[in-house]
Coordinates of all heavy atoms in Angstrom, one line a residue:
M1 N -28.8 8.7 5.3 CA -28.0 7.7 4.7 C -27.8 6.6 5.8 O -27.5 6.9 6.9 CB -26.6 8.3 4.3 CG -25.6 7.2 3.9 SD -24.0 7.9 3.6 CE -24.1 8.1 1.9
I2 N -27.9 5.4 5.4 CA -27.7 4.3 6.3 C -26.2 3.9 6.2 O -25.6 3.8 5.2 CB -28.5 3.0 5.8 CG1 -30.0 3.4 6.0 CG2 -28.1 1.8 6.7 CD1 -30.9 2.3 5.4
A3 N -25.6 3.8 7.4 CA -24.2 3.5 7.5 C -23.9 2.1 7.1 O -24.6 1.2 7.5 CB -23.6 3.8 8.9
H4 N -23.0 1.8 6.2 CA -22.6 0.5 5.9 C -21.2 0.4 5.4 O -20.6 1.4 5.1 CB -23.5 -0.1 4.8 CG -23.4 0.5 3.4 ND1 -23.9 1.8 3.1 CD2 -22.7 0.1 2.3 CE1 -23.6 2.1 1.9 NE2 -22.9 1.1 1.4
E5 N -20.6 -0.8 5.5 CA -19.2 -1.0 5.2 C -19.1 -2.0 4.1 O -19.7 -3.0 4.1 CB -18.5 -1.5 6.4 CG -17.0 -1.7 6.2 CD -16.3 -2.0 7.4 OE1 -16.9 -2.1 8.5 OE2 -15.0 -2.2 7.4
V6 N -18.3 -1.6 3.1 CA -18.0 -2.6 2.0 C -16.7 -3.2 2.4 O -15.7 -2.5 2.8 CB -17.9 -1.8 0.6 CG1 -17.4 -2.8 -0.4 CG2 -19.2 -1.2 0.3
V7 N -16.6 -4.5 2.3 CA -15.4 -5.2 2.7 C -14.3 -4.8 1.7 O -14.5 -5.0 0.5 CB -15.5 -6.7 2.8 CG1 -14.2 -7.4 3.1 CG2 -16.6 -7.0 3.9
T8 N -13.2 -4.2 2.1 CA -12.1 -3.9 1.2 C -11.0 -4.8 1.6 O -10.8 -5.2 2.7 CB -11.7 -2.4 1.4 OG1 -11.3 -2.2 2.7 CG2 -12.9 -1.5 1.0
E9 N -10.2 -5.1 0.6 CA -9.0 -5.9 0.8 C -8.1 -5.2 1.8 O -7.5 -5.9 2.6 CB -8.3 -6.1 -0.6 CG -7.2 -7.1 -0.6 CD -6.7 -7.4 -1.9 OE1 -7.5 -8.0 -2.7 OE2 -5.6 -7.1 -2.2
S10 N -8.0 -3.9 1.7 CA -7.1 -3.2 2.6 C -7.6 -1.8 2.8 O -8.0 -1.2 1.8 CB -5.7 -3.2 2.0 OG -4.9 -2.3 2.7
V11 N -7.6 -1.3 4.0 CA -8.0 0.1 4.3 C -6.9 1.0 3.7 O -7.2 2.2 3.7 CB -8.3 0.4 5.7 CG1 -9.5 -0.4 6.2 CG2 -7.1 0.2 6.6
S12 N -5.8 0.5 3.3 CA -4.8 1.4 2.7 C -5.2 1.9 1.3 O -4.6 2.8 0.8 CB -3.4 0.8 2.7 OG -3.4 -0.3 1.8
N13 N -6.3 1.3 0.8 CA -6.8 1.7 -0.5 C -8.3 1.7 -0.4 O -9.0 0.8 -0.8 CB -6.4 0.7 -1.6 CG -4.9 0.7 -1.9 OD1 -4.4 1.7 -2.2 ND2 -4.3 -0.4 -1.7
A14 N -8.8 2.8 0.2 CA -10.3 2.9 0.4 C -10.7 4.4 0.4 O -9.9 5.3 0.4 CB -10.6 2.3 1.8
V15 N -12.1 4.5 0.3 CA -12.7 5.9 0.4 C -13.5 5.8 1.7 O -14.3 5.0 1.9 CB -13.6 6.2 -0.8 CG1 -14.3 7.5 -0.6 CG2 -12.8 6.2 -2.1
F16 N -13.2 6.8 2.6 CA -13.9 6.9 3.9 C -14.8 8.1 3.7 O -14.4 9.2 3.5 CB -12.9 7.1 5.0 CG -11.9 6.0 5.2 CD1 -10.7 5.9 4.5 CD2 -12.3 4.9 6.0 CE1 -9.9 4.8 4.7 CE2 -11.4 3.9 6.2 CZ -10.2 3.8 5.5
V17 N -16.1 7.8 3.9 CA -17.1 8.8 3.7 C -17.7 9.3 5.1 O -18.1 8.5 5.9 CB -18.3 8.2 2.9 CG1 -19.4 9.3 2.7 CG2 -17.8 7.7 1.5
T18 N -17.6 10.6 5.3 CA -18.2 11.2 6.5 C -19.4 12.1 6.0 O -19.7 12.1 4.8 CB -17.2 12.1 7.2 OG1 -16.8 13.2 6.4 CG2 -15.9 11.3 7.6
R19 N -20.0 12.7 6.9 CA -21.2 13.5 6.5 C -21.0 14.5 5.4 O -21.7 14.6 4.5 CB -21.8 14.2 7.8 CG -23.0 15.0 7.5 CD -23.5 15.6 8.8 NE -24.6 16.6 8.4 CZ -24.9 17.6 9.2 NH1 -24.3 17.7 10.4 NH2 -25.8 18.4 8.9
N20 N -19.9 15.2 5.5 CA -19.6 16.3 4.6 C -18.4 16.0 3.6 O -18.3 16.8 2.6 CB -19.2 17.6 5.3 CG -20.4 18.0 6.2 OD1 -21.5 18.1 5.7 ND2 -20.1 18.3 7.4
T21 N -17.6 15.0 3.9 CA -16.4 14.8 3.2 C -16.1 13.4 2.8 O -16.5 12.5 3.5 CB -15.2 15.4 4.0 OG1 -15.6 16.7 4.6 CG2 -14.0 15.6 3.3
E22 N -15.4 13.2 1.7 CA -14.8 11.9 1.4 C -13.3 12.0 1.5 O -12.7 12.9 1.0 CB -15.1 11.4 0.0 CG -16.6 11.1 -0.3 CD -16.8 10.8 -1.7 OE1 -15.9 10.9 -2.6 OE2 -18.0 10.4 -2.0
Y23 N -12.7 11.0 2.1 CA -11.2 10.9 2.2 C -10.8 9.7 1.4 O -11.1 8.6 1.7 CB -10.8 10.7 3.7 CG -11.2 11.9 4.5 CD1 -12.4 12.0 5.1 CD2 -10.3 13.0 4.7 CE1 -12.8 13.1 5.8 CE2 -10.6 14.1 5.4 CZ -11.9 14.1 6.0 OH -12.3 15.3 6.7
H24 N -10.0 10.0 0.3 CA -9.6 8.9 -0.6 C -8.2 8.6 -0.2 O -7.2 9.4 -0.2 CB -9.6 9.5 -2.1 CG -11.0 9.8 -2.6 ND1 -11.6 9.1 -3.5 CD2 -11.9 10.8 -2.2 CE1 -12.8 9.6 -3.8 NE2 -13.0 10.6 -2.9
V25 N -8.0 7.3 0.1 CA -6.7 6.8 0.6 C -6.1 5.7 -0.3 O -6.9 4.8 -0.7 CB -6.9 6.2 2.1 CG1 -5.6 5.6 2.6 CG2 -7.4 7.3 3.0
R26 N -4.9 5.9 -0.7 CA -4.2 4.9 -1.5 C -2.8 4.7 -0.9 O -2.1 5.6 -0.6 CB -4.0 5.4 -2.9 CG -5.3 5.5 -3.6 CD -5.1 5.5 -5.1 NE -4.7 4.2 -5.5 CZ -5.1 3.7 -6.7 NH1 -5.9 4.3 -7.4 NH2 -4.7 2.5 -7.0
G27 N -2.4 3.4 -0.7 CA -1.1 3.1 -0.1 C -1.0 3.7 1.3 O 0.1 4.0 1.7
G28 N -2.1 3.9 2.0 CA -2.1 4.4 3.4 C -1.9 5.9 3.4 O -1.8 6.5 4.5
V29 N -1.9 6.6 2.3 CA -1.8 8.1 2.2 C -3.1 8.7 1.7 O -3.7 8.1 0.7 CB -0.6 8.5 1.3 CG1 -0.5 10.0 1.1 CG2 0.7 7.9 1.9
C30 N -3.5 9.7 2.2 CA -4.7 10.4 1.8 C -4.3 11.2 0.5 O -3.6 12.1 0.5 CB -5.3 11.4 2.8 SG -6.7 12.3 2.3
V31 N -4.9 10.7 -0.7 CA -4.5 11.3 -1.9 C -5.5 12.4 -2.4 O -5.2 13.2 -3.3 CB -4.3 10.2 -3.0 CG1 -3.2 9.3 -2.7 CG2 -5.6 9.4 -3.2
A32 N -6.7 12.4 -1.8 CA -7.7 13.4 -2.2 C -8.7 13.5 -1.2 O -9.0 12.6 -0.4 CB -8.3 13.0 -3.6
V33 N -9.3 14.7 -1.1 CA -10.4 15.0 -0.2 C -11.5 15.6 -1.0 O -11.2 16.6 -1.8 CB -10.0 15.9 1.0 CG1 -11.2 16.2 1.9 CG2 -9.0 15.2 1.9
R34 N -12.7 15.1 -0.9 CA -13.8 15.7 -1.7 C -14.9 16.2 -0.8 O -15.4 15.6 0.1 CB -14.4 14.6 -2.6 CG -15.5 15.2 -3.6 CD -16.0 14.1 -4.6 NE -17.0 13.3 -3.9 CZ -18.3 13.5 -3.9 NH1 -18.8 14.6 -4.4 NH2 -19.1 12.7 -3.3
D35 N -15.4 17.5 -1.1 CA -16.5 18.1 -0.4 C -17.8 17.5 -1.0 O -18.0 17.6 -2.2 CB -16.4 19.6 -0.6 CG -17.6 20.3 0.1 OD1 -18.7 19.9 0.0 OD2 -17.3 21.4 0.6
R36 N -18.5 16.7 -0.3 CA -19.7 16.0 -0.8 C -20.8 17.0 -1.2 O -21.5 16.7 -2.2 CB -20.2 15.0 0.3 CG -19.2 13.9 0.5 CD -19.7 12.9 1.5 NE -20.8 12.2 1.0 CZ -21.8 11.7 1.7 NH1 -21.8 11.8 3.0 NH2 -22.8 11.1 1.1
E37 N -21.0 18.1 -0.5 CA -22.1 19.0 -0.8 C -21.8 19.7 -2.1 O -22.7 19.9 -2.9 CB -22.3 20.0 0.4 CG -23.4 20.9 0.1 CD -23.6 21.9 1.3 OE1 -23.3 21.5 2.5 OE2 -24.1 23.0 1.1
R38 N -20.6 20.2 -2.3 CA -20.3 21.0 -3.5 C -19.8 20.1 -4.6 O -19.5 20.6 -5.7 CB -19.2 22.0 -3.1 CG -19.7 23.1 -2.2 CD -18.7 24.1 -2.0 NE -19.2 25.1 -1.1 CZ -18.8 25.2 0.2 NH1 -17.9 24.4 0.7 NH2 -19.3 26.2 1.0
D39 N -19.6 18.8 -4.3 CA -19.0 17.8 -5.3 C -17.7 18.3 -5.9 O -17.6 18.3 -7.1 CB -20.1 17.5 -6.4 CG -19.7 16.3 -7.2 OD1 -19.0 15.5 -6.7 OD2 -20.2 16.2 -8.4
R40 N -16.8 18.8 -5.0 CA -15.6 19.4 -5.5 C -14.4 18.8 -4.6 O -14.6 18.6 -3.5 CB -15.5 20.9 -5.2 CG -15.9 21.7 -6.3 CD -15.7 23.2 -6.1 NE -15.1 23.6 -4.8 CZ -15.2 24.8 -4.3 NH1 -15.9 25.7 -4.9 NH2 -14.6 25.1 -3.2
F41 N -13.3 18.5 -5.3 CA -12.1 18.1 -4.6 C -11.4 19.3 -4.0 O -11.5 20.4 -4.6 CB -11.2 17.3 -5.5 CG -11.7 15.9 -5.8 CD1 -12.5 15.6 -6.9 CD2 -11.4 14.9 -4.9 CE1 -12.9 14.3 -7.1 CE2 -11.8 13.6 -5.1 CZ -12.6 13.3 -6.2
L42 N -10.8 19.1 -2.9 CA -10.2 20.1 -2.1 C -8.7 19.9 -2.1 O -8.1 19.3 -1.1 CB -10.7 20.2 -0.7 CG -12.3 20.3 -0.6 CD1 -12.7 20.1 0.9 CD2 -12.7 21.6 -1.2
P43 N -7.9 20.3 -3.1 CA -6.5 20.0 -3.2 C -5.6 20.5 -2.1 O -4.5 20.0 -1.8 CB -6.1 20.5 -4.5 CG -7.1 21.6 -4.8 CD -8.4 21.2 -4.2
T44 N -6.1 21.5 -1.3 CA -5.2 22.1 -0.3 C -5.8 21.7 1.1 O -5.3 22.3 2.1 CB -5.1 23.6 -0.4 OG1 -6.5 24.2 -0.3 CG2 -4.5 24.1 -1.7
H45 N -6.6 20.7 1.2 CA -7.1 20.3 2.5 C -6.0 19.7 3.3 O -5.0 19.1 2.7 CB -8.2 19.2 2.3 CG -8.9 18.7 3.5 ND1 -8.3 18.0 4.5 CD2 -10.2 19.0 4.0 CE1 -9.2 17.8 5.5 NE2 -10.3 18.4 5.2
H46 N -6.0 19.9 4.6 CA -4.9 19.5 5.5 C -4.6 18.0 5.4 O -3.4 17.6 5.7 CB -5.1 20.0 6.9 CG -5.0 21.4 7.1 ND1 -4.7 22.0 8.3 CD2 -5.1 22.5 6.2 CE1 -4.7 23.3 8.2 NE2 -4.9 23.6 6.9
A47 N -5.6 17.2 5.1 CA -5.4 15.8 5.1 C -4.6 15.3 3.8 O -4.0 14.2 3.8 CB -6.7 15.0 5.2
V48 N -4.7 16.0 2.7 CA -4.1 15.6 1.4 C -2.6 15.4 1.6 O -1.9 16.4 2.0 CB -4.5 16.6 0.3 CG1 -3.7 16.2 -1.0 CG2 -6.0 16.6 0.1
G49 N -2.1 14.3 1.3 CA -0.7 14.0 1.4 C -0.3 13.4 2.8 O 0.8 13.0 3.0
G50 N -1.3 13.4 3.7 CA -1.1 12.8 5.0 C -1.2 11.3 5.1 O -2.0 10.7 4.3
R51 N -0.6 10.7 6.1 CA -0.7 9.3 6.2 C -1.8 8.9 7.2 O -2.0 9.5 8.2 CB 0.7 8.7 6.8 CG 0.7 7.2 6.9 CD 2.1 6.6 6.9 NE 2.7 6.7 5.6 CZ 2.5 6.0 4.5 NH1 1.5 5.0 4.6 NH2 3.1 6.1 3.4
L52 N -2.5 7.8 6.8 CA -3.6 7.3 7.7 C -2.9 6.7 8.9 O -2.0 5.8 8.7 CB -4.4 6.2 6.9 CG -5.4 5.5 7.6 CD1 -6.6 6.4 8.0 CD2 -6.0 4.3 6.8
S53 N -3.3 7.1 10.1 CA -2.5 6.6 11.3 C -3.4 5.9 12.2 O -2.9 5.4 13.2 CB -1.9 7.8 12.0 OG -2.8 8.8 12.4
G54 N -4.7 5.7 12.0 CA -5.5 4.9 12.8 C -7.0 5.5 12.9 O -7.4 6.1 11.9
S55 N -7.6 5.2 14.0 CA -9.0 5.7 14.1 C -9.3 5.9 15.6 O -8.5 5.6 16.5 CB -10.0 4.6 13.6 OG -9.9 3.4 14.4
V56 N -10.4 6.6 15.9 CA -10.8 6.9 17.2 C -12.2 6.5 17.3 O -13.0 6.8 16.4 CB -10.5 8.4 17.6 CG1 -11.3 9.3 16.7 CG2 -10.8 8.6 19.0
R57 N -12.6 5.8 18.4 CA -13.9 5.4 18.6 C -14.7 6.6 19.2 O -14.5 7.0 20.3 CB -14.0 4.2 19.6 CG -15.3 3.6 19.7 CD -15.8 3.4 18.3 NE -16.5 2.1 18.1 CZ -17.1 1.8 16.9 NH1 -17.0 2.7 15.9 NH2 -17.6 0.7 16.7
L58 N -15.5 7.3 18.4 CA -16.2 8.5 18.8 C -17.4 8.1 19.7 O -18.0 7.0 19.6 CB -16.8 9.2 17.6 CG -15.7 9.7 16.6 CD1 -16.3 10.3 15.4 CD2 -14.8 10.7 17.3
G59 N -17.7 8.9 20.6 CA -18.9 8.7 21.5 C -18.4 8.0 22.8 O -19.3 7.8 23.7
E60 N -17.2 7.5 22.9 CA -16.7 6.9 24.1 C -16.0 8.0 24.9 O -15.3 8.9 24.4 CB -15.8 5.8 23.8 CG -16.4 4.6 23.2 CD -15.4 3.5 22.9 OE1 -14.2 3.6 23.2 OE2 -15.9 2.4 22.4
A61 N -16.1 7.9 26.2 CA -15.3 8.8 27.1 C -14.4 8.0 28.0 O -15.0 7.1 28.8 CB -16.3 9.7 27.9
P62 N -13.2 8.1 28.0 CA -12.4 8.9 27.1 C -12.3 8.2 25.7 O -12.4 7.0 25.6 CB -11.0 9.0 27.7 CG -10.9 7.8 28.5 CD -12.3 7.4 29.0
A63 N -12.2 9.0 24.7 CA -12.1 8.5 23.3 C -10.8 7.6 23.2 O -9.8 8.0 23.7 CB -12.1 9.6 22.3
S64 N -11.0 6.4 22.7 CA -9.8 5.6 22.6 C -9.2 5.6 21.2 O -9.9 5.3 20.2 CB -10.2 4.1 23.0 OG -11.2 3.6 22.2
L65 N -7.9 6.0 21.1 CA -7.2 5.9 19.8 C -6.8 4.5 19.6 O -6.4 3.8 20.5 CB -6.0 6.9 19.9 CG -6.2 8.3 20.3 CD1 -4.9 9.1 20.4 CD2 -7.1 9.0 19.2
T66 N -6.8 4.1 18.3 CA -6.4 2.8 18.0 C -5.7 2.7 16.7 O -5.9 3.5 15.8 CB -7.6 1.8 18.0 OG1 -7.2 0.5 17.7 CG2 -8.7 2.3 17.1
R67 N -4.9 1.7 16.5 CA -4.2 1.4 15.2 C -5.0 0.4 14.4 O -4.6 0.0 13.4 CB -2.8 1.0 15.4 CG -2.0 2.0 16.1 CD -1.5 3.1 15.2 NE -0.7 4.0 15.9 CZ -0.7 5.3 15.6 NH1 -1.4 5.8 14.7 NH2 0.1 6.1 16.3
R68 N -6.2 0.0 14.9 CA -6.9 -1.1 14.2 C -7.6 -0.5 13.0 O -7.6 0.7 12.8 CB -8.0 -1.6 15.2 CG -9.1 -0.7 15.5 CD -10.2 -1.4 16.3 NE -11.2 -0.5 16.9 CZ -12.1 0.2 16.2 NH1 -12.2 0.1 14.9 NH2 -12.9 1.0 16.8
R69 N -8.1 -1.4 12.2 CA -8.8 -1.0 11.0 C -10.0 -0.1 11.4 O -10.8 -0.4 12.2 CB -9.4 -2.3 10.4 CG -10.2 -2.0 9.2 CD -10.9 -3.3 8.7 NE -11.8 -3.0 7.6 CZ -11.9 -3.6 6.5 NH1 -11.1 -4.7 6.3 NH2 -12.8 -3.3 5.6
P70 N -10.1 1.1 10.7 CA -11.2 2.0 11.0 C -12.5 1.3 10.6 O -12.6 0.6 9.7 CB -10.9 3.2 10.0 CG -9.4 3.1 9.7 CD -9.1 1.7 9.7
R71 N -13.5 1.6 11.4 CA -14.8 1.0 11.3 C -15.9 2.1 11.2 O -15.7 3.3 11.6 CB -15.2 0.2 12.5 CG -14.2 -1.0 12.6 CD -14.6 -1.8 13.8 NE -13.6 -2.9 14.0 CZ -13.4 -3.5 15.2 NH1 -14.1 -3.2 16.2 NH2 -12.5 -4.4 15.3
I72 N -17.0 1.7 10.7 CA -18.2 2.7 10.7 C -18.4 3.2 12.1 O -18.3 2.4 13.1 CB -19.5 1.9 10.2 CG1 -19.3 1.4 8.8 CG2 -20.7 2.8 10.3 CD1 -19.0 2.4 7.7
G73 N -18.6 4.5 12.2 CA -18.8 5.1 13.5 C -17.5 5.7 14.1 O -17.6 6.5 15.0
D74 N -16.4 5.3 13.6 CA -15.1 5.8 14.1 C -14.8 7.2 13.5 O -15.4 7.5 12.4 CB -13.9 4.9 13.7 CG -13.8 3.6 14.5 OD1 -14.6 3.4 15.4 OD2 -13.0 2.8 14.1
G75 N -13.9 7.9 14.0 CA -13.3 9.0 13.4 C -12.0 8.6 12.8 O -11.2 7.8 13.5
L76 N -11.6 9.0 11.6 CA -10.4 8.6 11.0 C -9.3 9.5 11.5 O -9.5 10.7 11.7 CB -10.6 8.8 9.5 CG -9.6 8.1 8.5 CD1 -9.7 6.6 8.7 CD2 -10.0 8.5 7.1
L77 N -8.1 9.0 11.8 CA -6.9 9.8 12.2 C -6.0 9.8 11.0 O -5.6 8.8 10.4 CB -6.2 9.1 13.3 CG -7.0 8.9 14.6 CD1 -6.1 8.2 15.6 CD2 -7.4 10.3 15.2
V78 N -5.7 11.1 10.5 CA -4.8 11.3 9.4 C -3.7 12.3 9.8 O -4.1 13.4 10.3 CB -5.6 11.8 8.2 CG1 -4.6 12.0 7.0 CG2 -6.7 10.9 7.8
D79 N -2.5 11.9 9.7 CA -1.4 12.9 10.0 C -1.5 13.9 8.9 O -1.6 13.6 7.7 CB 0.0 12.2 10.0 CG 0.1 11.1 11.1 OD1 -0.6 11.3 12.1 OD2 0.9 10.2 10.9
S80 N -1.4 15.2 9.3 CA -1.6 16.2 8.3 C -0.5 16.2 7.2 O 0.6 15.8 7.4 CB -1.7 17.6 8.9 OG -0.4 18.0 9.5
G81 N -0.9 16.6 6.0 CA -0.1 16.6 4.8 C 0.6 17.9 4.7 O 0.7 18.7 5.7
P82 N 1.2 18.2 3.5 CA 2.0 19.4 3.4 C 1.2 20.7 3.6 O 1.8 21.8 3.8 CB 2.5 19.3 1.9 CG 1.7 18.3 1.3 CD 1.2 17.4 2.4
H83 N -0.1 20.7 3.5 CA -0.9 21.9 3.7 C -1.4 22.1 5.1 O -2.0 23.0 5.5 CB -2.1 21.9 2.8 CG -1.8 21.8 1.3 ND1 -1.2 22.9 0.6 CD2 -1.9 20.8 0.5 CE1 -1.0 22.5 -0.6 NE2 -1.4 21.2 -0.7
G84 N -1.0 21.1 6.0 CA -1.4 21.1 7.4 C -0.4 21.8 8.3 O 0.6 22.3 7.9
D85 N -0.7 21.6 9.6 CA 0.1 22.3 10.6 C 1.0 21.3 11.3 O 1.6 21.6 12.3 CB -0.8 23.0 11.6 CG -1.7 22.1 12.3 OD1 -1.7 20.9 12.1 OD2 -2.6 22.6 13.1
G86 N 1.1 20.1 10.8 CA 2.0 19.1 11.4 C 1.2 18.2 12.5 O 1.8 17.3 13.0
G87 N 0.0 18.5 12.7 CA -0.8 17.7 13.7 C -1.5 16.6 13.1 O -1.2 16.2 11.9
T88 N -2.4 16.0 13.8 CA -3.2 14.9 13.4 C -4.6 15.3 13.2 O -5.2 16.0 14.1 CB -3.1 13.7 14.3 OG1 -1.7 13.2 14.4 CG2 -4.0 12.5 13.9
I89 N -5.2 15.0 12.1 CA -6.6 15.4 11.8 C -7.5 14.2 12.3 O -7.2 13.1 12.1 CB -6.8 15.6 10.3 CG1 -5.9 16.7 9.8 CG2 -8.3 15.8 9.9 CD1 -5.6 16.7 8.4
V90 N -8.6 14.6 13.0 CA -9.6 13.6 13.4 C -10.8 14.0 12.6 O -11.4 15.1 12.8 CB -9.9 13.7 14.9 CG1 -10.9 12.7 15.3 CG2 -8.6 13.5 15.7
T91 N -11.3 13.1 11.8 CA -12.5 13.4 11.0 C -13.8 13.2 11.9 O -13.7 12.6 13.0 CB -12.6 12.4 9.8 OG1 -12.9 11.1 10.2 CG2 -11.3 12.4 9.0
S92 N -14.9 13.6 11.3 CA -16.2 13.2 11.9 C -16.4 11.8 11.7 O -15.6 11.1 11.0 CB -17.3 14.1 11.4 OG -17.4 13.9 10.0
Q93 N -17.5 11.3 12.1 CA -17.9 9.9 12.1 C -17.9 9.3 10.7 O -18.5 9.9 9.8 CB -19.2 9.7 12.8 CG -19.7 8.3 12.9 CD -21.0 8.3 13.6 OE1 -22.0 8.9 13.2 NE2 -21.1 7.5 14.7
I94 N -17.2 8.2 10.5 CA -17.3 7.5 9.2 C -18.6 6.8 9.0 O -19.1 6.1 9.9 CB -16.2 6.3 9.2 CG1 -14.8 6.9 9.3 CG2 -16.3 5.5 7.9 CD1 -13.7 5.9 9.6
L95 N -19.3 7.2 7.9 CA -20.6 6.6 7.6 C -20.5 5.5 6.6 O -21.4 4.6 6.6 CB -21.4 7.7 6.9 CG -21.7 9.0 7.8 CD1 -22.5 10.0 7.0 CD2 -22.4 8.6 9.1
E96 N -19.5 5.5 5.8 CA -19.3 4.4 4.8 C -17.9 4.2 4.4 O -17.1 5.2 4.5 CB -20.1 4.8 3.5 CG -20.0 3.9 2.4 CD -20.8 4.4 1.1 OE1 -21.4 5.5 1.2 OE2 -20.8 3.6 0.1
I97 N -17.5 3.0 4.2 CA -16.1 2.7 3.7 C -16.3 1.9 2.4 O -17.0 0.9 2.4 CB -15.3 1.9 4.7 CG1 -15.3 2.6 6.1 CG2 -13.9 1.5 4.2 CD1 -14.7 1.8 7.2
R98 N -15.7 2.3 1.3 CA -15.8 1.6 0.1 C -14.4 1.5 -0.6 O -13.5 2.3 -0.3 CB -16.8 2.2 -0.8 CG -16.6 3.7 -1.2 CD -17.7 4.2 -2.1 NE -17.3 5.5 -2.6 CZ -17.9 6.6 -2.2 NH1 -18.9 6.6 -1.4 NH2 -17.5 7.8 -2.8
P99 N -14.3 0.6 -1.5 CA -13.0 0.4 -2.2 C -12.6 1.7 -3.0 O -13.5 2.3 -3.6 CB -13.2 -0.8 -3.1 CG -14.4 -1.5 -2.6 CD -15.2 -0.4 -1.9
H100 N -11.4 2.0 -3.0 CA -10.9 3.1 -3.9 C -10.8 2.6 -5.3 O -10.1 1.6 -5.5 CB -9.5 3.6 -3.4 CG -9.2 4.9 -4.0 ND1 -8.6 5.0 -5.3 CD2 -9.3 6.2 -3.6 CE1 -8.4 6.3 -5.6 NE2 -8.8 7.0 -4.5
T101 N -11.5 3.2 -6.3 CA -11.5 2.6 -7.6 C -10.7 3.4 -8.7 O -10.7 3.0 -9.8 CB -13.0 2.6 -8.1 OG1 -13.5 3.9 -8.0 CG2 -13.8 1.7 -7.2
H102 N -10.1 4.5 -8.3 CA -9.3 5.2 -9.3 C -7.9 4.9 -9.3 O -7.2 5.0 -8.4 CB -9.6 6.7 -9.2 CG -11.0 7.1 -9.5 ND1 -11.9 7.2 -8.5 CD2 -11.6 7.3 -10.6 CE1 -13.1 7.6 -9.1 NE2 -12.9 7.6 -10.4

């Protein structure tokens, strides 16, 4: 898959696609996580219900956390939701960013 970014009005309403997972964000909150291989939503994933808190530039040493708009190649930072342990989730590399349509 070729990494590309669709310009979205706001990252608070977007789908962030990683190699194995899609993170659906509305109003800055992760409302759904989908397993791409199984084509199934994961309602108890630790990110569901968590707030988008920024991104991390992967591949840099030391990795720099940022509050800027997540970009292709970044890892998404999501504060864990009700199924999580209270920590922050760092996703694998973002391959695609597209508007949330549902």
Side-chain angles (χ1 to χ4, degrees):
M1 170 187 268
I2 296 174
H4 68 283
E5 181 173 3
V6 175
V7 176
T8 60
E9 192 172 291
S10 169
V11 295
S12 66
N13 294 303
V15 178
F16 297 90
V17 180
T18 66
R19 180 176 170 203
N20 299 312
T21 313
E22 291 178 355
Y23 297 86
H24 295 248
V25 176
R26 293 197 73 141
V29 174
C30 182
V31 295
V33 175
R34 186 177 78 86
D35 180 317
R36 296 180 65 207
E37 183 177 331
R38 294 185 180 104
D39 193 25
R40 266 187 3 200
F41 284 93
L42 307 171
T44 59
H45 189 283
H46 289 203
V48 175
R51 182 155 293 283
L52 178 64
S53 59
S55 64
V56 60
R57 192 47 140 175
L58 299 175
E60 292 181 359
S64 57
L65 302 177
T66 180
R67 299 283 180 212
R68 69 172 167 75
R69 175 188 172 132
R71 297 180 186 158
I72 300 299
D74 287 355
L76 199 60
L77 298 176
V78 182
D79 296 333
S80 66
H83 301 287
D85 59 6
T88 298
I89 296 156
V90 180
T91 71
S92 59
Q93 187 178 53
I94 298 169
L95 302 177
E96 180 181 359
I97 302 170
R98 60 180 186 249
H100 193 280
T101 57
H102 292 97

